[in-house]
Amino acid sequence: MKKIKNEAALSKKAIQVGENYALKRGYAGFSPTMSANEKTEAIYRLLVLDKLVVALPADKEDLPSMKHKLALWIQKLLPKDDPLLK
């Protein structure tokens, strides 16, 4: 897995955008006490279900890999001049 520049910030942004996407899609499972790791997994699984992200192999499905996939996903959605991409 190749490290992405600003991966932590991109993952955080992906969780924000993914949470909004999930809510618009009708997912009401996010609670104020839900951890970022739980949100990451829920958003990853929703994006895989909607075929917006390619699923990881079952043996590689761990939290760092899911965060990496979300970072790649949001990287493609952000405008080219976004500060997170620099």
Side-chain angles (χ1 to χ4, degrees):
M1 177 168 62
K2 187 178 176 185
K3 187 76 173 165
I4 302 171
K5 191 174 182 180
N6 296 332
E7 186 167 343
L10 286 168
S11 295
K12 188 174 180 179
K13 181 72 171 180
I15 290 172
Q16 292 172 345
V17 172
E19 194 171 347
N20 287 335
Y21 173 76
L23 292 173
K24 286 179 184 174
R25 204 164 156 300
Y27 182 74
F30 294 116
S31 68
T33 59
M34 195 174 202
S35 73
N37 292 345
E38 291 172 321
K39 287 180 183 180
T40 298
E41 185 171 353
I43 292 166
Y44 165 77
R45 296 199 184 284
L46 177 65
L47 293 175
V48 168
L49 183 68
D50 289 352
K51 296 183 179 13
L52 297 174
V53 172
V54 177
L56 292 163
D59 62 331
K60 305 257 190 223
E61 207 171 68
D62 56 5
L63 193 60
S65 297
M66 288 180 195
K67 285 183 178 183
H68 183 76
K69 279 287 194 178
L70 290 180
L72 290 172
W73 169 71
I74 199 66
Q75 195 176 32
K76 293 175 186 172
L77 294 179
L78 291 174
K80 299 290 183 204
D81 61 343
D82 194 283
L84 289 176
L85 300 177
K86 294 181 182 180

